[in-house]
Amino acid sequence: MKNGAGQSVSLWMSADVPASPPLTTGVHADVCIVGAGIGGLTTAYGLMQEGQSVVVLDDGQPGSGMTQRTTAHLSNEIDDGYVAIERLHGESGARLAAQSHTSAIDWIEATAARHSIECDFARVDGYLFSPPDEPDDVIGKEWQAARRAGLTGVERLDRLPGNMFHTGPCLRFPRQAQFHPMKYLSGLVRAIQRGGGRVFSGAHVTSVESGKQARLETSQGCLITADAVVVATNSPINNMVTIHTKQAAYITYVIGATVPVGSIEPALYWDTLDPYHYVRVQRRSLKQGGEQDVLIVGGEDHKAGQADDGEARYARLEAWARERFPMMETVEYRWSGQVMESVDGLAFIGRNPGDADNIYIATGDSGMGMTHGTIAGMLITDLIRRRESSWASLYDPSRQPVLAAGTFVRESLNVVAQYADWTTGGDVKAESDISHGSGAILRSGLKKIAAYRDEQGELHKCSAVCPHLNCIVAWNHTEKTWDCPCHGSRFDSFGKVLNGPATDDLSPIQVE
Ligand SMILES: Cc1cc2nc3c(=O)[nH]c(=O)nc-3n(C[C@H](O)[C@H](O)[C@H](O)COP(=O)(O)OP(=O)(O)OC[C@H]3O[C@@H](n4cnc5c(N)ncnc54)[C@H](O)[C@@H]3O)c2cc1C
Ligand code: FES
């Protein structure tokens, strides 16, 4: 299976995903959905339930993007917090945000039940806790804002309950949930296929043209026509500029360690640091019989392509976790992935700005792509069926994030600063400095070259210029990928595109 973000392997990747055939000819459907992650498949399922013919295209297998790298917390406590969401979207916006994420969790629960999808869905509490010495009353303010947003039953506690490690005050959010994302996704694929929906893998979409009949092309030369198109590729591949000025790509890291069964209360845990730590537990069956719990701890985020110290970040995560969870045994998993942080904390879901009104996008997950992806399924189904939705303007991709001007300017200046890479030297002086299994940027006159030496010692060279908007990519040692520091396009060691917005590979350079 295509591994959408490098070589690391997550806890979820061993799930049995139903086969989907490669696309070899042109097809037509009422709606064509690009991207078979949670966003695309939820949308396909929603439309299919309403009698629309749907075709889903993915350049890998279903789930091979970020959905197989998530940690699958299902929460209505938004990552940025309701204090920020209320400041950026007003009290009524915060209420709609709370309502939509609550509905998304209910929707997942109901859909899993309707189709008997065994995806380990479980209702759990969520705890937002501050470190013992946090000065501000962050927790108190968030409590008030969450209540104003309409969340019921949220409690303020002096510390994490039970025999958990020492913390400052915390909030308990009832009726959050967790699940196995790939088992759930597999269930959705089966439900879509049973209902007559067509899901194709190995279909790399290179262009999306609007018009009465929208037209899509794949790099394999297939032409797809549809009355409407939904681009759910995590980072849109059809909107080259507008959306990418309003969101930024961050890499986030996860470790998974075995712990004795039942030694940690199953719940979602998040601290108030920036970047924050996120924690949960997943039970799994062992081949030899019996069960085991895996403690999943994430954090250590940084802007994509702007740091290459993944090993140190995993080590810090492990140290943080061992201090708080002394029952931790072996670290069996270490993986990373990319989240698209919108400047105002909420996803962009709806009509693609600048296109005719039959092209839709879902992006800007803001670390909440399980619920945002599900909201996308519900909201885009309403929009395509021409129904009013009270969520439409909150998530409208055309919205101007005026109240997030500070973040917008900071992120824009950060992107501009990346173009200085054109003027700097290479990472190494000579090709011979690149060790086996590693990559580095070389300078050759005015050109910058992304050079990868494979395990056998052969050198592979590509242009280091990202085909999206010409930033210079950077080597990521832990995933063995080339990551673009501007808008998060990613490429494998040989320059093959893994993640948009770029749709083309890095240009190959002949090795003499
Ligand atoms: C480490 C980590 C932890 C996270 N934890 C949480 C969490 O606890 N809770 C939460 O809600 N969210 C979390 N998220 C975010 C969430 O996982 C993602 O936002 C979500 O999975 C994105 O789903 P998607 O459908 O938008 O995109 P994806 O799952 O990435 O799917 C997009 C699909 O599009 C395909 N594609 C891309 N380009 C093309 C093309 N040109 N042609 C055809 N197909 C293409 C890809 O192959 C991919 O399968 C986390 C993310 C990470 C990385
Ligand atoms: S992702 Fe935009 S320039 Fe590379």
Side-chain angles (χ1 to χ4, degrees):
M1 178 193 274
K2 169 194 150 188
N3 195 347
Q7 64 170 357
S8 66
V9 174
S10 81
L11 174 59
W12 323 114
M13 288 182 189
S14 54
D16 191 12
V17 180
S20 48
L23 182 68
T24 48
T25 57
V27 285
H28 175 80
D30 293 337
V31 186
C32 174
I33 293 119
V34 189
I38 191 162
L41 288 170
T42 307
T43 309
Y45 174 83
L47 287 162
M48 195 201 72
Q49 291 287 94
E50 304 226 357
Q52 299 281 290
S53 69
V54 294
V55 60
V56 184
L57 308 177
D58 199 292
D59 62 5
Q61 289 288 324
S64 59
M66 291 309 132
T67 301
Q68 64 179 355
R69 293 177 168 273
T70 188
T71 49
H73 294 219
L74 300 175
S75 175
N76 57 13
E77 164 59 0
I78 291 173
D79 275 16
D80 283 7
Y82 282 102
V83 171
I85 295 299
E86 187 182 283
R87 179 173 56 77
L88 295 165
H89 299 275
E91 203 174 312
S92 62
R95 291 183 79 84
L96 286 170
Q99 187 214 44
S100 55
H101 284 269
T102 306
S103 303
I105 304 172
D106 294 345
W107 194 96
I108 291 171
E109 183 176 33
T111 306
R114 185 177 314 122
H115 294 285
S116 307
I117 303 174
E118 289 180 7
C119 59
D120 310 332
F121 180 95
R123 289 283 182 175
V124 292
D125 288 336
Y127 292 97
L128 175 70
F129 63 92
S130 57
D133 48 358
E134 191 160 83
D136 267 340
D137 186 18
V138 176
I139 289 293
K141 288 180 186 149
E142 183 59 16
W143 190 31
Q144 298 303 333
R147 294 202 308 189
R148 282 194 297 278
L151 294 192
T152 51
V154 182
E155 277 182 303
R156 187 183 191 281
L157 310 174
D158 289 338
R159 48 157 293 169
L160 279 180
N163 57 356
M164 291 293 277
F165 53 91
H166 181 52
T167 66
C170 79
L171 297 181
R172 186 182 73 85
F173 295 85
R175 288 185 63 73
Q176 311 298 292
Q178 61 180 36
F179 68 168
H180 187 306
M182 292 302 286
K183 288 184 182 173
Y184 174 71
L185 208 78
S186 299
L188 274 187
V189 173
R190 286 189 193 98
I192 293 167
Q193 290 175 336
R194 270 198 308 271
R198 291 166 289 170
V199 182
F200 293 103
S201 58
H204 178 67
V205 175
T206 49
S207 77
V208 179
E209 267 178 47
S210 63
K212 197 164 171 352
Q213 281 284 289
R215 291 161 59 93
L216 300 93
E217 278 177 45
T218 68
S219 57
Q220 295 80 11
C222 300
L223 176 70
I224 301 95
T225 53
D227 299 340
V229 175
V230 181
V231 178
T233 48
N234 193 231
S235 179
I237 47 123
N238 58 329
N239 180 315
M240 285 300 127
V241 180
T242 318
I243 284 295
H244 304 288
T245 63
K246 299 195 282 189
Q247 66 183 18
Y250 282 77
I251 303 281
T252 182
Y253 296 82
V254 181
I255 58 167
T258 54
V259 290
V261 170
S263 59
I264 299 170
E265 173 71 18
L268 312 180
Y269 304 95
W270 322 280
D271 65 20
T272 52
L273 299 176
D274 183 18
Y276 69 103
H277 296 94
Y278 46 100
V279 179
R280 58 164 283 202
V281 179
Q282 172 73 25
R283 185 149 301 170
R284 67 173 181 190
S285 307
L286 296 171
K287 277 197 192 101
Q288 63 272 30
E291 291 183 319
Q292 193 172 46
D293 280 352
V294 179
L295 171 68
I296 305 167
V297 179
E300 290 288 335
D301 309 12
H302 64 79
K303 278 204 82 169
Q306 298 190 20
D308 185 23
D309 54 354
E311 291 299 326
R313 287 172 196 266
Y314 285 130
R316 284 201 292 274
L317 271 185
E318 183 175 342
W320 184 92
R322 285 202 185 278
E323 198 183 318
R324 287 159 183 82
F325 300 98
M327 68 293 274
M328 221 172 105
E329 298 161 348
T330 319
V331 174
E332 286 198 5
Y333 298 92
R334 301 195 320 171
W335 76 87
S336 73
Q338 186 155 290
V339 292
M340 305 306 300
E341 295 286 356
S342 77
V343 293
D344 62 9
L346 294 178
F348 298 106
I349 301 167
R351 295 192 174 90
N352 184 38
D355 263 331
D357 73 354
N358 61 344
I359 311 286
Y360 301 82
I361 54 171
T363 187
D365 61 85
S366 302
M368 304 206 50
M370 296 289 110
T371 39
H372 271 140
T374 306
I375 292 168
M378 293 188 271
L379 175 52
I380 293 177
T381 300
D382 279 345
L383 295 175
I384 289 180
R385 302 300 288 153
R386 307 280 166 194
R387 284 194 295 261
E388 289 286 315
S389 166
S390 54
W391 305 340
S393 64
L394 183 69
Y395 291 108
D396 185 357
S398 301
R399 70 183 184 266
Q400 296 302 328
V402 271
L403 294 172
T407 314
F408 178 83
V409 169
R410 196 172 59 247
E411 292 291 4
S412 304
L413 289 176
N414 176 286
V415 169
V416 171
Q418 303 314 311
Y419 285 93
D421 288 349
W422 274 91
T423 61
T424 56
D427 299 338
V428 291
K429 286 213 170 62
E431 289 176 4
S432 53
D433 296 335
I434 304 174
S435 50
H436 289 204
S438 189
I441 299 292
L442 298 168
R443 174 165 280 289
S444 165
L446 291 176
K447 290 196 189 123
K448 282 210 148 178
I449 293 168
Y452 169 66
R453 190 178 298 287
D454 65 26
E455 299 294 348
Q456 286 67 45
E458 193 183 336
L459 199 64
H460 305 265
K461 291 188 192 174
C462 304
S463 163
V465 180
C466 173
H468 175 228
L469 292 175
N470 298 342
C471 284
I472 301 295
V473 296
W475 178 245
N476 175 336
H477 280 90
T478 41
E479 294 294 355
K480 293 191 191 285
T481 52
W482 298 103
D483 299 350
C484 182
C486 285
H487 315 100
S489 290
R490 300 181 71 190
F491 307 84
D492 74 8
S493 319
F494 305 98
K496 184 172 163 26
V497 66
L498 296 172
N499 237 94
T503 53
D504 293 333
D505 301 339
L506 297 176
S507 312
I509 288 175
Q510 214 53 47
V511 179
E512 283 147 26

